[in-house]
Amino acid sequence: MVDRYFYFITMIEQILMASEIYIKYEPKVRPLSRPKIQSPEDAYLQCLYFLGLDNLTIKEEAVVLFLNRGNRVLGGYKVSSGGITATVVDIRIILAIALKCLASGIILAHTHPSGEINPSHADKVLTLKLKEASKMMDISLLDHLIITSESYYSFADEGVI
């Protein structure tokens, strides 16, 4: 009987030590007041806002725009900031945020400080992996932009997505 009591107390202690998870998204802008993405250029300008202009020629960074069904921007998130030649983009983080804000679509963008606008093999692989993973959640990958200080490359415009 004593063993059962200590077992029960141990189980309660383990339950109390577990972390509680909160899911919270608080939109601050009314739906019709949010910017609407109608073209890759619109997405490019929004991404520049979230990336900032300071680091475009210094290091690779990646940002994601989260969109509602009407292609209005729910928000943007800088998902990674890397080095001169690469940055790590974690698809799980992108999808976690997309699910949290109930996004219907996402647009990924990352910088190429070298000024080279063409996608690398790694860029193409990332695009394919993100497209497949988001499809499983009924979230559309609408575009992947490569941004330089002078221009951008759109996977959607080039028919790659």
Side-chain angles (χ1 to χ4, degrees):
M1 187 68 146
V2 172
D3 287 341
R4 263 189 163 167
Y5 174 76
F6 285 115
Y7 174 77
F8 181 72
I9 295 299
T10 303
M11 290 299 292
I12 289 176
E13 288 174 350
Q14 287 177 353
I15 291 169
L16 295 176
M17 289 190 324
S19 299
E20 186 171 353
I21 298 171
Y22 293 94
I23 297 176
K24 186 176 182 181
Y25 167 68
E26 291 183 13
K28 296 182 188 307
V29 180
R30 294 183 343 201
L32 293 178
S33 299
R34 297 174 185 149
K36 186 170 185 169
I37 303 298
Q38 296 178 326
S39 68
E41 186 174 3
D42 291 344
Y44 166 70
L45 294 172
Q46 281 297 309
C47 289
L48 282 179
Y49 171 77
F50 287 107
L51 285 166
L53 299 175
D54 297 339
N55 293 323
L56 287 180
T57 59
I58 298 171
K59 62 182 180 173
E60 283 207 20
E61 295 183 312
V63 67
V64 180
L65 299 178
F66 300 94
L67 309 173
N68 68 11
R69 184 56 85 202
N71 282 353
R72 293 198 179 266
V73 179
L74 296 168
Y77 182 77
K78 190 181 286 188
V79 72
S80 76
S81 183
I84 296 168
T85 58
T87 190
V88 176
V89 176
D90 193 326
I91 292 173
R92 295 168 296 182
I93 291 173
I94 293 171
L95 292 178
I97 296 167
L99 291 170
K100 185 174 185 177
C101 68
L102 303 175
S104 296
I106 54 177
I107 297 173
L108 171 65
H110 78 280
T111 61
H112 274 188
S114 67
E116 176 59 48
I117 202 144
N118 293 314
S120 67
H121 176 70
D123 295 337
K124 294 174 184 176
V125 169
L126 172 63
T127 303
L128 182 62
K129 286 174 72 174
L130 181 57
K131 181 180 178 181
E132 292 303 313
S134 59
K135 186 190 296 185
M136 289 176 35
M137 302 291 176
D138 289 328
I139 298 169
S140 299
L141 174 60
L142 301 172
D143 207 345
H144 179 178
L145 302 175
I146 296 174
I147 296 176
T148 69
S149 59
E150 298 175 14
S151 188
Y152 68 92
Y153 174 95
S154 164
F155 279 73
D157 270 356
E158 298 299 323
V160 181
I161 290 185

